[in-house]
Amino acid sequence: MKKLNRVVVTGTGAITSVGQNSQDFWESCLKGKSGISLIEKNDLQLVGPKYGGQILDFDASQFVKVNDYKKIGRGSNLLIASIYDAIKNANLDSDTYEKADLFVGTTMGEISIETTDYNRYMGISSSENLLDQSFLYTVLANACREFSLQGESMLIANACSAGNYAIIEGYERIRKGEQSICFTAGEDPFSTIAYYGFNRLKAIAASKCKPFDKNRDGMLVAEGAGCLVLEELEHAKARGANILAEVTGYGVSCDAYHITAPHPESAGVIQAMEKAIAKANIELEDIDYISAHGTGTPANDKAESFAVNNLFKKKVPMSSIKSMIGHSMGAASLLEAIVCCNAVNQNIAPPTINFETVDENCEVDCIPNEARQFNIEYAMNNSYAFGGANSSVIFKKFRDN
């Protein structure tokens, strides 16, 4: 039987409302900084909720070098910026990264499709440029053009779990010896469709996202992009890369229960975590920290708390950065993966901010309001999507043995 390769993380990139590079993003998370602000978006009529996680000062001209930033969509610009940040942090040269695979998770792809579909409905002709940006695959095409990528590319439109699924694709490619280096990324621009859709579900908070708090009243729509550079261990060592963490396992499942509501007994969520632990060849008690999905909606937080408490024999520290940046859809679990990598590397976990009142239905250790320093050998990244698409990815502190 062929020996499976070890897969390590050698670079991270992030564009968020609390930091436009991975380092600033991480430091802001540790400080509990909020990136939530009043929503500013052309052609968006606020119907009640007024707050979201927008990147208000993002200047694409400072990041995009090959594409025309004015002609490609905001999602592409965010994605490209996060990949440049990851390349810089991984200290990659073009001869190395041009051979990489690219796996991108997203929910909306580009927001240009919103205007295009409206124009079609109204019988208005759309510009050629707008039509070019009205399909999901354009974010992938623009990123491949920007970096002259020659490897395999794949877009994963698996909603809120998409970032984790992108990591899983890259992990398997390297683990099986089919590739030595991959970019795994997630992106989503602030979406009018998401805003109206979650509002119709009565799932948006009035002003603050308060995961696991008794008085939580919903999520906040956000945007962002994140990227991990995954490498085969020997490939990374050969070029003298700085290794941030190791990916050791994952688990996925589908509830097949309801299009939006979580399974009442969290069966699929528990199954995803169990599969990840088995694949990582560790025990339940080895998990030291969980980056929670933690959307702040009553149903999601209750289901996730139930799953964690029923699976683990101890209260595992867990926190939700959605309390700070909102829910960035396809980028969410990728950004949370960056949190896991830094957590195992630095033995510190960010807080869940806005926490005030304990909920008897969410009796978890959510690291309330202040970051916590403790030994973190293994971190689990949990992410769940509409339709019951559950995913868990496990990151380990890197040890060269």
Side-chain angles (χ1 to χ4, degrees), residues 96-113:
T96 302
Y97 72 67
E98 286 178 0
K99 300 172 185 176
D101 289 350
L102 172 64
F103 302 103
V104 179
T106 189
T107 297
M108 290 299 300
E110 286 290 7
I111 53 173
S112 307
I113 193 172

Side-chain angles (χ1 to χ4, degrees), residues 127-144:
S127 69
E128 182 180 348
N129 174 55
L130 193 57
L131 286 170
D132 285 344
Q133 297 305 326
S134 65
F135 302 99
L136 281 172
Y137 68 79
T138 57
V139 291
L140 200 64
N142 292 332
C144 288

Side-chain angles (χ1 to χ4, degrees), residues 57-310:
D57 54 350
F58 177 69
D59 182 359
S61 68
Q62 299 301 306
F63 297 95
V64 181
K65 302 172 184 177
V66 176
N67 288 276
D68 184 339
Y69 75 93
K70 295 179 181 178
K71 292 183 178 180
I72 63 175
R74 184 173 177 84
S76 295
N77 285 325
L78 292 172
L79 173 63
I80 288 167
S82 74
I83 296 175
Y84 271 121
D85 187 34
I87 287 171
K88 178 182 177 181
N89 291 327
N91 195 27
L92 291 171
D93 59 40
S94 59
D95 287 340
T96 302
Y97 72 67
E98 286 178 0
K99 300 172 185 176
D101 289 350
L102 172 64
F103 302 103
V104 179
T106 189
T107 297
M108 290 299 300
E110 286 290 7
I111 53 173
S112 307
I113 193 172
E114 298 175 344
T115 306
T116 305
D117 280 354
Y118 175 78
N119 287 352
R120 288 172 183 155
Y121 175 75
M122 296 297 293
I124 303 169
S125 297
S126 297
S127 69
E128 182 180 348
N129 174 55
L130 193 57
L131 286 170
D132 285 344
Q133 297 305 326
S134 65
F135 302 99
L136 281 172
Y137 68 79
T138 57
V139 291
L140 200 64
N142 292 332
C144 288
R145 183 189 304 116
E146 183 76 20
F147 301 101
S148 299
L149 299 181
Q150 300 158 20
E152 179 179 336
S153 62
M154 182 187 299
L155 193 72
I156 302 166
N158 214 4
C160 307
S161 289
N164 259 1
Y165 278 84
I167 294 169
I168 290 165
E169 287 293 335
Y171 170 75
E172 282 292 356
R173 286 278 290 169
I174 296 172
R175 181 171 172 264
K176 295 176 180 178
E178 297 170 353
Q179 178 60 281
S180 298
I181 181 169
C182 294
F183 292 113
T184 60
E187 66 79 30
D188 258 297
F190 191 91
S191 166
T192 301
I193 292 175
Y195 173 80
Y196 288 146
F198 280 105
N199 180 69
R200 285 293 297 271
L201 292 171
K202 301 186 184 304
I204 302 181
S207 60
K208 294 181 180 180
C209 179
K210 300 177 283 189
F212 309 110
D213 188 278
K214 185 174 184 177
N215 299 311
R216 64 192 182 278
D217 59 345
M219 51 81 76
L220 290 171
V221 178
E223 65 181 345
C227 179
L228 295 184
V229 177
L230 301 186
E231 289 188 63
E232 188 271 320
L233 175 59
E234 297 305 319
H235 182 273
K237 288 167 66 175
R239 68 178 191 85
N242 177 47
I243 296 173
L244 187 61
E246 182 172 0
V247 187
T248 60
Y250 67 88
V252 296
S253 69
C254 184
D255 290 341
Y257 170 73
H258 190 272
I259 189 63
T260 59
H263 192 285
E265 296 179 355
S266 305
V269 172
I270 292 172
Q271 186 181 44
M273 291 190 289
E274 287 178 328
K275 285 182 175 181
I277 288 165
K279 201 173 193 73
N281 195 28
I282 59 175
E283 304 297 328
L284 286 170
E285 55 266 27
D286 292 324
I287 299 296
D288 301 302
Y289 167 71
I290 296 172
S291 178
H293 187 56
T295 60
T297 61
N300 176 89
D301 290 1
K302 181 180 178 181
E304 186 169 13
S305 298
F306 178 87
V308 170
N309 287 335
N310 275 268

Side-chain angles (χ1 to χ4, degrees), residues 283-351:
E283 304 297 328
L284 286 170
E285 55 266 27
D286 292 324
I287 299 296
D288 301 302
Y289 167 71
I290 296 172
S291 178
H293 187 56
T295 60
T297 61
N300 176 89
D301 290 1
K302 181 180 178 181
E304 186 169 13
S305 298
F306 178 87
V308 170
N309 287 335
N310 275 268
L311 181 61
F312 292 93
K313 308 303 180 186
K314 62 177 182 178
K315 268 196 165 43
V316 183
M318 55 192 286
S319 59
S320 170
I321 64 166
K322 291 184 179 73
S323 62
M324 295 176 247
I325 65 172
H327 194 336
S328 53
M329 310 297 156
S333 55
L334 204 297
L335 293 169
E336 289 150 5
I338 294 174
V339 166
C340 287
C341 291
N342 283 307
V344 297
N345 185 259
Q346 300 179 22
N347 290 319
I348 190 170

